[in-house]
Structure formats: C-alpha cells, structure tokens
Short mmCIF file of all heavy atoms in Angstrom, two decimals:
data_model
loop_
_atom_site.label_atom_id
_atom_site.label_comp_id
_atom_site.label_asym_id
_atom_site.label_seq_id
_atom_site.Cartn_x
_atom_site.Cartn_y
_atom_site.Cartn_z
N TYR A 1 0.84 -1.20 0.00
CA TYR A 1 0.00 0.00 0.00
C TYR A 1 0.87 1.26 0.00
O TYR A 1 0.67 2.17 -0.79
CB TYR A 1 -0.96 0.04 1.19
CG TYR A 1 -1.67 1.37 1.27
CD1 TYR A 1 -2.69 1.67 0.38
CD2 TYR A 1 -1.27 2.34 2.17
CE1 TYR A 1 -3.30 2.92 0.40
CE2 TYR A 1 -1.87 3.58 2.20
CZ TYR A 1 -2.89 3.87 1.32
OH TYR A 1 -3.48 5.10 1.32
N ILE A 2 1.85 1.27 0.88
CA ILE A 2 2.71 2.46 0.99
C ILE A 2 3.46 2.72 -0.31
O ILE A 2 3.47 3.84 -0.82
CB ILE A 2 3.69 2.29 2.18
CG1 ILE A 2 2.90 2.30 3.49
CG2 ILE A 2 4.76 3.39 2.17
CD1 ILE A 2 3.69 1.83 4.70
N THR A 3 4.06 1.69 -0.89
CA THR A 3 4.84 1.89 -2.12
C THR A 3 3.94 2.21 -3.31
O THR A 3 4.29 3.04 -4.15
CB THR A 3 5.72 0.66 -2.44
OG1 THR A 3 4.90 -0.50 -2.57
CG2 THR A 3 6.77 0.46 -1.36
N ASN A 4 2.76 1.56 -3.39
CA ASN A 4 1.84 1.84 -4.49
C ASN A 4 1.31 3.26 -4.40
O ASN A 4 1.22 3.96 -5.41
CB ASN A 4 0.68 0.85 -4.49
CG ASN A 4 1.00 -0.44 -5.21
OD1 ASN A 4 0.33 -0.83 -6.14
ND2 ASN A 4 2.05 -1.12 -4.76
N LYS A 5 0.94 3.69 -3.23
CA LYS A 5 0.39 5.04 -3.05
C LYS A 5 1.44 6.11 -3.38
O LYS A 5 1.16 7.02 -4.14
CB LYS A 5 -0.11 5.25 -1.62
CG LYS A 5 -0.62 6.68 -1.40
CD LYS A 5 -1.28 6.85 -0.07
CE LYS A 5 -1.80 8.26 0.15
NZ LYS A 5 -2.79 8.73 -0.80
N LEU A 6 2.63 5.95 -2.82
CA LEU A 6 3.63 7.01 -2.95
C LEU A 6 4.35 7.03 -4.29
O LEU A 6 4.58 8.10 -4.86
CB LEU A 6 4.66 6.89 -1.82
CG LEU A 6 4.12 7.08 -0.41
CD1 LEU A 6 5.22 6.87 0.62
CD2 LEU A 6 3.46 8.44 -0.25
N TRP A 7 4.73 5.86 -4.79
CA TRP A 7 5.63 5.85 -5.95
C TRP A 7 5.05 5.27 -7.23
O TRP A 7 5.38 5.73 -8.31
CB TRP A 7 6.93 5.10 -5.61
CG TRP A 7 7.69 5.84 -4.56
CD1 TRP A 7 8.28 7.08 -4.68
CD2 TRP A 7 7.92 5.42 -3.22
NE1 TRP A 7 8.86 7.44 -3.50
CE2 TRP A 7 8.67 6.44 -2.58
CE3 TRP A 7 7.59 4.28 -2.49
CZ2 TRP A 7 9.07 6.35 -1.26
CZ3 TRP A 7 8.00 4.19 -1.18
CH2 TRP A 7 8.73 5.22 -0.57
N VAL A 8 4.18 4.28 -7.14
CA VAL A 8 3.68 3.66 -8.38
C VAL A 8 2.56 4.49 -8.97
O VAL A 8 2.65 4.95 -10.11
CB VAL A 8 3.21 2.21 -8.12
CG1 VAL A 8 2.64 1.61 -9.40
CG2 VAL A 8 4.35 1.36 -7.59
N PHE A 9 1.49 4.70 -8.22
CA PHE A 9 0.33 5.41 -8.75
C PHE A 9 0.31 6.87 -8.33
O PHE A 9 -0.58 7.62 -8.73
CB PHE A 9 -0.95 4.69 -8.35
CG PHE A 9 -1.00 3.29 -8.90
CD1 PHE A 9 -0.80 2.19 -8.06
CD2 PHE A 9 -1.21 3.05 -10.25
CE1 PHE A 9 -0.83 0.90 -8.56
CE2 PHE A 9 -1.24 1.77 -10.76
CZ PHE A 9 -1.04 0.69 -9.91
N GLU A 10 1.29 7.28 -7.53
CA GLU A 10 1.50 8.66 -7.12
C GLU A 10 0.21 9.34 -6.65
O GLU A 10 -0.13 10.43 -7.10
CB GLU A 10 2.16 9.46 -8.24
CG GLU A 10 3.53 8.94 -8.61
CD GLU A 10 4.17 9.68 -9.77
OE1 GLU A 10 3.51 10.51 -10.42
OE2 GLU A 10 5.35 9.41 -10.03
N SER A 11 -0.49 8.69 -5.77
CA SER A 11 -1.69 9.26 -5.19
C SER A 11 -1.27 10.38 -4.25
O SER A 11 -0.66 10.14 -3.22
CB SER A 11 -2.50 8.20 -4.44
OG SER A 11 -3.59 8.78 -3.80
N LYS A 12 -1.59 11.59 -4.62
CA LYS A 12 -1.12 12.76 -3.87
C LYS A 12 -2.03 13.12 -2.70
O LYS A 12 -1.66 13.91 -1.86
CB LYS A 12 -1.00 13.98 -4.79
CG LYS A 12 -0.11 13.75 -6.00
CD LYS A 12 1.33 13.62 -5.61
CE LYS A 12 2.20 13.55 -6.85
NZ LYS A 12 3.40 12.81 -6.68
N SER A 13 -3.22 12.59 -2.69
CA SER A 13 -4.19 12.99 -1.68
C SER A 13 -3.73 12.61 -0.28
O SER A 13 -3.29 11.49 -0.02
CB SER A 13 -5.55 12.35 -1.96
OG SER A 13 -6.44 12.76 -0.95
N ARG A 14 -3.84 13.58 0.62
CA ARG A 14 -3.54 13.34 2.03
C ARG A 14 -4.79 13.56 2.87
O ARG A 14 -4.73 13.54 4.09
CB ARG A 14 -2.41 14.27 2.52
CG ARG A 14 -1.11 14.12 1.75
CD ARG A 14 -0.49 12.73 1.97
NE ARG A 14 0.81 12.62 1.36
CZ ARG A 14 1.04 11.98 0.24
NH1 ARG A 14 0.07 11.40 -0.43
NH2 ARG A 14 2.26 11.89 -0.26
N LYS A 15 -5.93 13.83 2.19
CA LYS A 15 -7.19 14.01 2.91
C LYS A 15 -7.56 12.69 3.58
O LYS A 15 -7.54 11.64 2.94
CB LYS A 15 -8.31 14.45 1.97
CG LYS A 15 -8.12 15.83 1.42
CD LYS A 15 -9.28 16.21 0.53
CE LYS A 15 -9.06 17.60 -0.06
NZ LYS A 15 -10.11 17.94 -1.01
N LEU A 16 -7.90 12.77 4.84
CA LEU A 16 -8.15 11.58 5.63
C LEU A 16 -9.23 10.69 5.01
O LEU A 16 -9.05 9.47 4.93
CB LEU A 16 -8.53 11.95 7.07
CG LEU A 16 -8.70 10.79 8.03
CD1 LEU A 16 -7.42 9.96 8.12
CD2 LEU A 16 -9.13 11.29 9.39
N ARG A 17 -10.32 11.26 4.54
CA ARG A 17 -11.40 10.43 3.99
C ARG A 17 -10.95 9.69 2.73
O ARG A 17 -11.32 8.55 2.51
CB ARG A 17 -12.68 11.23 3.74
CG ARG A 17 -12.67 12.09 2.52
CD ARG A 17 -14.05 12.69 2.24
NE ARG A 17 -13.98 13.56 1.10
CZ ARG A 17 -14.02 13.13 -0.15
NH1 ARG A 17 -14.17 11.87 -0.43
NH2 ARG A 17 -13.92 13.99 -1.15
N ILE A 18 -10.10 10.29 1.92
CA ILE A 18 -9.61 9.63 0.71
C ILE A 18 -8.58 8.56 1.06
O ILE A 18 -8.61 7.46 0.51
CB ILE A 18 -9.05 10.66 -0.29
CG1 ILE A 18 -10.20 11.53 -0.81
CG2 ILE A 18 -8.33 9.96 -1.45
CD1 ILE A 18 -9.79 12.66 -1.71
N VAL A 19 -7.70 8.86 2.01
CA VAL A 19 -6.71 7.87 2.44
C VAL A 19 -7.41 6.66 3.04
O VAL A 19 -7.08 5.51 2.73
CB VAL A 19 -5.69 8.48 3.43
CG1 VAL A 19 -4.82 7.40 4.05
CG2 VAL A 19 -4.83 9.53 2.72
N ILE A 20 -8.41 6.91 3.89
CA ILE A 20 -9.18 5.79 4.48
C ILE A 20 -9.86 4.98 3.39
O ILE A 20 -9.83 3.74 3.41
CB ILE A 20 -10.20 6.32 5.52
CG1 ILE A 20 -9.46 6.80 6.76
CG2 ILE A 20 -11.21 5.23 5.88
CD1 ILE A 20 -10.33 7.55 7.75
N LYS A 21 -10.42 5.65 2.41
CA LYS A 21 -11.07 4.96 1.29
C LYS A 21 -10.06 4.13 0.50
O LYS A 21 -10.31 2.97 0.16
CB LYS A 21 -11.75 5.97 0.36
CG LYS A 21 -12.54 5.35 -0.76
CD LYS A 21 -13.24 6.41 -1.60
CE LYS A 21 -13.99 5.77 -2.73
NZ LYS A 21 -14.65 6.75 -3.57
N GLU A 22 -8.88 4.70 0.23
CA GLU A 22 -7.83 3.97 -0.48
C GLU A 22 -7.38 2.74 0.31
O GLU A 22 -7.25 1.65 -0.25
CB GLU A 22 -6.62 4.86 -0.73
CG GLU A 22 -6.77 5.86 -1.82
CD GLU A 22 -5.57 6.78 -1.94
OE1 GLU A 22 -4.67 6.76 -1.06
OE2 GLU A 22 -5.52 7.52 -2.93
N VAL A 23 -7.13 2.93 1.60
CA VAL A 23 -6.69 1.80 2.44
C VAL A 23 -7.75 0.71 2.44
O VAL A 23 -7.43 -0.48 2.25
CB VAL A 23 -6.37 2.27 3.88
CG1 VAL A 23 -6.20 1.09 4.82
CG2 VAL A 23 -5.13 3.14 3.90
N PHE A 24 -9.00 1.09 2.62
CA PHE A 24 -10.08 0.10 2.63
C PHE A 24 -10.17 -0.64 1.30
O PHE A 24 -10.23 -1.87 1.27
CB PHE A 24 -11.42 0.78 2.94
CG PHE A 24 -12.58 -0.15 2.88
CD1 PHE A 24 -12.82 -1.06 3.91
CD2 PHE A 24 -13.44 -0.14 1.78
CE1 PHE A 24 -13.90 -1.94 3.86
CE2 PHE A 24 -14.51 -1.02 1.72
CZ PHE A 24 -14.74 -1.92 2.75
N GLU A 25 -10.15 0.11 0.19
CA GLU A 25 -10.22 -0.52 -1.13
C GLU A 25 -9.00 -1.40 -1.40
O GLU A 25 -9.12 -2.48 -1.98
CB GLU A 25 -10.35 0.54 -2.23
CG GLU A 25 -11.69 1.22 -2.26
CD GLU A 25 -11.76 2.36 -3.27
OE1 GLU A 25 -10.73 2.71 -3.88
OE2 GLU A 25 -12.87 2.90 -3.45
N PHE A 26 -7.83 -0.93 -0.99
CA PHE A 26 -6.60 -1.68 -1.21
C PHE A 26 -6.65 -3.01 -0.47
O PHE A 26 -6.40 -4.07 -1.04
CB PHE A 26 -5.40 -0.86 -0.73
CG PHE A 26 -4.08 -1.37 -1.25
CD1 PHE A 26 -3.62 -1.01 -2.50
CD2 PHE A 26 -3.29 -2.20 -0.47
CE1 PHE A 26 -2.40 -1.47 -2.98
CE2 PHE A 26 -2.08 -2.67 -0.93
CZ PHE A 26 -1.62 -2.29 -2.19
N PHE A 27 -7.00 -2.97 0.83
CA PHE A 27 -7.09 -4.21 1.60
C PHE A 27 -8.22 -5.10 1.10
O PHE A 27 -8.07 -6.32 1.06
CB PHE A 27 -7.23 -3.92 3.10
CG PHE A 27 -5.91 -3.79 3.79
CD1 PHE A 27 -5.20 -2.58 3.76
CD2 PHE A 27 -5.35 -4.86 4.45
CE1 PHE A 27 -3.97 -2.47 4.38
CE2 PHE A 27 -4.12 -4.76 5.07
CZ PHE A 27 -3.43 -3.56 5.04
N ARG A 28 -9.34 -4.50 0.70
CA ARG A 28 -10.45 -5.31 0.18
C ARG A 28 -10.03 -6.05 -1.08
O ARG A 28 -10.30 -7.25 -1.24
CB ARG A 28 -11.66 -4.42 -0.11
CG ARG A 28 -12.88 -5.22 -0.55
CD ARG A 28 -14.08 -4.35 -0.73
NE ARG A 28 -13.83 -3.40 -1.80
CZ ARG A 28 -14.68 -2.51 -2.22
NH1 ARG A 28 -15.85 -2.39 -1.63
NH2 ARG A 28 -14.40 -1.70 -3.21
N ALA A 29 -9.33 -5.38 -1.99
CA ALA A 29 -8.85 -6.03 -3.21
C ALA A 29 -7.85 -7.12 -2.89
O ALA A 29 -7.87 -8.20 -3.49
CB ALA A 29 -8.23 -5.00 -4.16
N ARG A 30 -6.99 -6.85 -1.92
CA ARG A 30 -6.00 -7.86 -1.54
C ARG A 30 -6.64 -9.05 -0.84
O ARG A 30 -6.17 -10.18 -0.97
CB ARG A 30 -4.90 -7.26 -0.65
CG ARG A 30 -3.99 -6.22 -1.34
CD ARG A 30 -3.61 -6.61 -2.75
NE ARG A 30 -2.59 -5.80 -3.35
CZ ARG A 30 -2.81 -4.79 -4.19
NH1 ARG A 30 -4.03 -4.41 -4.47
NH2 ARG A 30 -1.79 -4.16 -4.74
N VAL A 31 -7.74 -8.82 -0.13
CA VAL A 31 -8.47 -9.94 0.49
C VAL A 31 -9.05 -10.84 -0.60
O VAL A 31 -9.01 -12.06 -0.49
CB VAL A 31 -9.57 -9.43 1.45
CG1 VAL A 31 -10.55 -10.53 1.82
CG2 VAL A 31 -8.93 -8.86 2.72
N VAL A 32 -9.55 -10.22 -1.67
CA VAL A 32 -10.06 -11.03 -2.81
C VAL A 32 -8.92 -11.91 -3.33
O VAL A 32 -9.10 -13.10 -3.56
CB VAL A 32 -10.62 -10.12 -3.92
CG1 VAL A 32 -10.88 -10.91 -5.19
CG2 VAL A 32 -11.89 -9.43 -3.45
N SER A 33 -7.73 -11.32 -3.46
CA SER A 33 -6.57 -12.09 -3.92
C SER A 33 -6.22 -13.19 -2.92
O SER A 33 -5.90 -14.32 -3.31
CB SER A 33 -5.35 -11.18 -4.08
OG SER A 33 -5.58 -10.22 -5.06
N LEU A 34 -6.28 -12.87 -1.63
CA LEU A 34 -5.96 -13.86 -0.60
C LEU A 34 -6.93 -15.04 -0.65
O LEU A 34 -6.52 -16.18 -0.48
CB LEU A 34 -5.98 -13.21 0.79
CG LEU A 34 -5.64 -14.12 1.96
CD1 LEU A 34 -4.18 -14.57 1.87
CD2 LEU A 34 -5.90 -13.40 3.28
N PHE A 35 -8.21 -14.75 -0.92
CA PHE A 35 -9.18 -15.84 -0.97
C PHE A 35 -8.98 -16.74 -2.20
O PHE A 35 -9.47 -17.86 -2.22
CB PHE A 35 -10.61 -15.30 -0.92
CG PHE A 35 -11.07 -14.95 0.46
CD1 PHE A 35 -11.61 -13.71 0.72
CD2 PHE A 35 -10.92 -15.83 1.52
CE1 PHE A 35 -12.02 -13.37 2.00
CE2 PHE A 35 -11.32 -15.51 2.80
CZ PHE A 35 -11.88 -14.27 3.03
N GLY A 36 -8.23 -16.27 -3.17
CA GLY A 36 -7.81 -17.16 -4.24
C GLY A 36 -6.49 -17.84 -3.91
O GLY A 36 -6.26 -19.01 -4.24
N ASP A 37 -5.65 -17.12 -3.21
CA ASP A 37 -4.30 -17.59 -2.88
C ASP A 37 -4.32 -18.72 -1.85
O ASP A 37 -3.69 -19.76 -2.05
CB ASP A 37 -3.48 -16.40 -2.37
CG ASP A 37 -2.01 -16.72 -2.18
OD1 ASP A 37 -1.44 -17.41 -3.04
OD2 ASP A 37 -1.43 -16.24 -1.19
N GLU A 38 -5.03 -18.55 -0.76
CA GLU A 38 -5.04 -19.56 0.30
C GLU A 38 -5.62 -20.89 -0.19
O GLU A 38 -4.97 -21.92 -0.03
CB GLU A 38 -5.82 -19.05 1.52
CG GLU A 38 -5.07 -18.05 2.37
CD GLU A 38 -4.03 -18.68 3.28
OE1 GLU A 38 -4.40 -19.32 4.28
OE2 GLU A 38 -2.84 -18.52 2.99
N PRO A 39 -6.82 -20.90 -0.78
CA PRO A 39 -7.33 -22.20 -1.27
C PRO A 39 -6.45 -22.77 -2.39
O PRO A 39 -6.28 -23.98 -2.50
CB PRO A 39 -8.73 -21.88 -1.80
CG PRO A 39 -9.11 -20.60 -1.17
CD PRO A 39 -7.83 -19.86 -0.91
N GLY A 40 -5.88 -21.88 -3.21
CA GLY A 40 -4.99 -22.33 -4.27
C GLY A 40 -3.76 -23.02 -3.70
O GLY A 40 -3.31 -24.06 -4.19
N ARG A 41 -3.21 -22.47 -2.64
CA ARG A 41 -2.05 -23.05 -1.99
C ARG A 41 -2.41 -24.41 -1.39
O ARG A 41 -1.69 -25.37 -1.53
CB ARG A 41 -1.53 -22.11 -0.89
CG ARG A 41 -0.27 -22.58 -0.23
CD ARG A 41 0.36 -21.54 0.66
NE ARG A 41 0.09 -20.15 0.34
CZ ARG A 41 0.54 -19.49 -0.73
NH1 ARG A 41 1.32 -20.08 -1.56
NH2 ARG A 41 0.21 -18.24 -0.93
N TRP A 42 -3.55 -24.46 -0.72
CA TRP A 42 -4.02 -25.72 -0.14
C TRP A 42 -4.19 -26.77 -1.23
O TRP A 42 -3.76 -27.91 -1.09
CB TRP A 42 -5.33 -25.50 0.62
CG TRP A 42 -5.94 -26.75 1.12
CD1 TRP A 42 -5.62 -27.44 2.27
CD2 TRP A 42 -6.97 -27.52 0.48
NE1 TRP A 42 -6.40 -28.56 2.38
CE2 TRP A 42 -7.23 -28.64 1.28
CE3 TRP A 42 -7.69 -27.36 -0.70
CZ2 TRP A 42 -8.17 -29.59 0.95
CZ3 TRP A 42 -8.63 -28.30 -1.02
CH2 TRP A 42 -8.87 -29.41 -0.20
N LEU A 43 -4.81 -26.37 -2.35
CA LEU A 43 -5.03 -27.29 -3.47
C LEU A 43 -3.71 -27.81 -4.02
O LEU A 43 -3.54 -29.02 -4.22
CB LEU A 43 -5.84 -26.59 -4.58
CG LEU A 43 -6.18 -27.42 -5.80
CD1 LEU A 43 -7.20 -28.49 -5.45
CD2 LEU A 43 -6.73 -26.52 -6.90
N LEU A 44 -2.76 -26.91 -4.26
CA LEU A 44 -1.47 -27.32 -4.82
C LEU A 44 -0.68 -28.21 -3.85
O LEU A 44 -0.08 -29.20 -4.27
CB LEU A 44 -0.63 -26.10 -5.20
CG LEU A 44 -1.13 -25.28 -6.39
CD1 LEU A 44 -0.28 -24.03 -6.56
CD2 LEU A 44 -1.16 -26.08 -7.66
#
C-alpha cells in the first residue's frame, strides 16, 4: 500500500477520507486475492 500510493500510482491525496477509502479498497482487493491464494495453496 505504501509503495503503491507514494511511488507507483502517485496518489497525492492526504485528505483523511480519501486515504481511508484507499486503504479500505486496497485491503479489500487484496483480500479477494488472498481468498484465491489460500485455497490455491491448499489445493497445490
């Protein structure tokens, strides 16, 4: 999250509501990935 925000996608916003929204969306998207990753690992 830190590297993507600061250097990859250069999200300049420091407004608390936008940062909270970004963090929530970032973790939510990564949870979707995790739910593919964990069962995939178990399967393999």
Side-chain angles (χ1 to χ4, degrees):
Y1 172 75
I2 293 167
T3 58
N4 276 237
K5 178 173 180 60
L6 297 177
W7 294 294
V8 178
F9 299 106
E10 298 177 352
S11 175
K12 304 291 186 209
S13 180
R14 301 295 186 256
K15 292 182 182 175
L16 185 59
R17 77 172 177 82
I18 293 175
V19 170
I20 289 170
K21 184 177 179 181
E22 284 176 350
V23 168
F24 176 76
E25 288 175 354
F26 196 84
F27 271 83
R28 185 176 64 179
R30 293 320 190 262
V31 166
V32 169
S33 298
L34 181 65
F35 281 128
D37 189 41
E38 283 282 288
R41 185 169 334 289
W42 174 82
L43 181 69
L44 291 174

